[in-house]
Amino acid sequence: MTVRAWAELLRVSALFTVPGDALAGAAAAGRRPDRGTALAVGASLCLYEAGMALNDWADRDEDAVDRPHRPIPSGRIAPGAALAAAGALTAAGLGLAARAGRPALAVATGLAATVWAYDLRLKHTPAGPAAMAAARGLDLLLGATATGAAERTAGPGARTGSASGSRTGSAAAPNSRGFVRGALPAAGLLGAHTYAVTAVSRHEAQGGSTTAPLAALAATAALGAAALREQRGPGDAPPDAGRGRKGESHRSHRPPATPASTAHRLLLTALTGSYFRTAAGPLLHAALNPSPPLTQRAVGGGIRAMIPLQAALAARAGAAGSGLAVMGLVPLARTLARKVSLT
């Protein structure tokens, strides 16, 4: 067993697509990253790697035919060792989530169950893409529930002011259900992207599908357009707030755009453009020539595109700093992807 074999088994180059889930979840819930967010990132990394190890263990017979170079069929890693690693990583992930509180543990448990169900039962069924989409969505919700857990446990009396907590400025700490509700739209967008990429990945060994890459390309365009719409916070005015009693528009009374809002809009546009550019090109090539290599490249592009998508989701919720921090992972992911395959 070598370090490279384990790096291939665990697909470590894809690890950089994971931390952004928790950061986007925290932003969507209106919270600043804290210790709970860090615990969510650690739990997510462990559960993601558990899924990678379990995936190769479950597919060892199929890989022996289609991809004999993989670590298990090539004999570089024993099947039992891969299964044991999956179990240990799952336990570690749940342990880290438990330290962030019971709501975070509940979400992590659902995430772990979804990962194991996908690898062992659902992967080769019509429910496979939906299961993967649910796993990504739950991962984002894990960040939303874990962030601010210490404050919620201590109660409203422990708060000293909104500057250290919610960006909404609320004096009382909302319960976990409110955080989940606030993060559901972002989880849905990330889950939809995951569904599209997973649908393409079902053809990466044999190729031959034009429909899946085209559908994923259309989904990418739709998701990019949705990400450009800024998330409405609880304190924002409703859509009709600028209308009079007779329905007339009072757009002239809206405050003018400030340099800060303009810069935020430009950042959101740039992040969304990066998402579309990363995913769309390989998908178009796979649609024009659905060979296994180009299909695999499209899947890799879809996986890498999760990083700018997470960054855009954080930025649309008002967390520009988190969005930029997530984008800082792109060069690292690109460098490692040259050494270890994403798929």
Side-chain angles (χ1 to χ4, degrees), residues 230-313:
E230 296 182 39
Q231 181 174 314
R232 183 175 296 277
D236 292 343
D240 294 329
R243 297 182 178 272
R245 278 180 290 183
K246 293 183 180 181
E248 68 273 14
S249 174
H250 293 289
R251 289 192 180 94
S252 60
H253 297 295
R254 292 179 183 175
T258 64
S261 64
T262 301
H264 176 265
R265 193 68 195 169
L266 289 174
L267 174 63
L268 180 57
T269 302
L271 293 174
T272 306
S274 177
Y275 160 66
F276 184 77
R277 184 173 62 254
T278 303
L283 285 170
L284 180 60
H285 292 158
L288 295 174
N289 179 11
S291 63
L294 289 181
T295 302
Q296 291 167 18
R297 192 173 301 172
V299 174
I303 294 173
R304 289 193 304 275
M306 287 182 182
I307 299 178
L309 177 58
Q310 293 158 347
L313 292 176

Side-chain angles (χ1 to χ4, degrees), residues 1 37 62 68 74 115 124 149 175 186 192 212 232 236 239 242 246 251 260 266 285 340:
M1 291 185 288
T37 316
E62 178 183 328
S74 66
V115 168
H124 299 293
N175 60 29
R232 183 175 296 277
D236 292 343
K246 293 183 180 181
R251 289 192 180 94
L266 289 174
H285 292 158
V340 181

